[in-house]
Amino acid sequence: MRTSIRTVAVAATAVSLALLCTACSSDEAGDSGKGSAAPSASATSEAPAAKALSAAELEKLIVEQADLPGHQVQKAKASDVVKSETVVTDKASCKPLADALAFIATGDPAASVQRKAVEVPKKTGSPEDALGALSAPVTSVTLGSYDGQGAQEALASLKTAGTDCAGGFGVTSSGQKAKVTKVTPETVTAGDEALAWTVASDVDGEPFVTKLVVFRKGNTLASFSSFSLAGTVKELPKTIVEAQAKKLG
């Protein structure tokens, strides 16, 4: 049984592993409370309305290879990005979380762009290290830009989802079903306001843990979904979040 989460994880990691193999070869040749996480700044109602950025403008703002030493960064292919209408939850309020987990910009952005960042293991000289590379964290990064108060509204919907869906929810993607079993809030500070969670899921009968971070900077929403083929990641992708926050200003 596959899920929107699993589908994205597998698709992203397939490319990621190719990147890691290239990195490994090069190295051998040459020798990351209660309720939702606390916002970092003022309430959403205080932010001024704004006009959305275009996809071309977002492309200049999303993290790239030069921004993330120790990672392999690649632009997402069209096949990596799931369409929002194909992701359905058994609780309507949980839909924003399901979208964020599946490489989809929350709500109704005027434009969005995506990247994938794979953490490159520091040691790559032995077979054991090569196996370790297979479980390296893979983080999907999505920037969405919104007209008016769209970014604030999208983040508010995620905050509601984090509370309403703490006990889990069902997800169906293209007719394939799975279960998020628990959504636990984390603490993060970035942009004008930020939220983070640890999301536990059941994938093919096995536990699968994803770290999810979303922050707003003006009328741009940045989301980060971090996972591993090993089934779990231990930390929020703070290095990537910080790099993206710096680039957004």
Side-chain angles (χ1 to χ4, degrees):
M1 175 179 64
R2 294 185 179 180
T3 71
S4 59
I5 300 169
R6 181 66 168 176
T7 299
V8 172
V10 171
T13 307
V15 177
S16 301
L17 294 181
L19 291 171
L20 282 170
C21 289
T22 300
C24 293
S25 297
S26 297
D27 287 345
E28 291 174 357
D31 183 337
S32 216
K34 188 176 182 181
S36 297
S40 61
S42 59
T44 59
S45 60
E46 296 178 6
K51 183 174 177 57
L53 298 175
S54 67
E57 290 172 314
L58 288 176
E59 286 286 354
K60 296 177 181 178
L61 294 173
I62 197 167
V63 286
E64 299 287 4
Q65 185 65 64
D67 305 309
L68 289 170
H71 293 76
Q72 292 284 344
V73 181
Q74 184 179 45
K75 184 175 181 179
K77 298 178 182 178
S79 59
D80 296 329
V81 183
V82 179
K83 292 183 178 180
S84 181
E85 57 266 30
T86 69
V87 179
V88 180
T89 57
D90 60 3
K91 296 180 183 178
S93 61
C94 301
K95 169 69 170 170
L97 274 177
D99 281 352
L101 288 166
F103 224 164
I104 301 168
T106 303
D108 188 23
S112 64
V113 295
Q114 293 84 13
R115 291 291 185 275
K116 291 180 293 187
V118 190
E119 185 177 316
V120 179
K122 294 181 180 179
K123 296 181 179 181
T124 57
S126 69
E128 291 78 10
D129 294 331
L131 288 174
L134 297 178
S135 61
V138 180
T139 301
S140 62
V141 183
T142 303
L143 290 188
S145 188
Y146 303 73
D147 286 315
Q149 297 292 309
Q152 291 89 332
E153 292 167 359
L155 194 66
S157 72
L158 282 160
K159 185 174 183 179
T160 297
T163 300
D164 289 355
C165 309
F169 57 94
V171 182
T172 301
S173 178
S174 301
Q176 298 168 335
K177 299 180 179 180
K179 177 72 176 178
V180 170
T181 56
K182 189 176 182 180
V183 179
T184 305
E186 299 274 2
T187 299
V188 66
T189 300
D192 297 328
E193 51 184 335
L195 301 166
W197 303 269
T198 293
V199 181
S201 305
D202 183 316
V203 176
D204 296 331
E206 298 292 335
F208 191 84
V209 175
T210 306
K211 297 288 187 178
L212 181 63
V213 178
V214 184
F215 75 80
R216 179 183 66 82
K217 180 64 178 180
N219 65 325
T220 298
L221 207 64
S223 61
F224 311 80
S225 180
S226 188
F227 53 84
S228 166
L229 275 186
T232 187
V233 286
K234 297 180 180 180
E235 300 178 343
L236 297 176
K238 292 182 178 179
T239 298
I240 301 172
V241 172
E242 290 169 358
Q244 184 61 76
K246 181 178 180 181
K247 200 156 185 179
L248 287 175

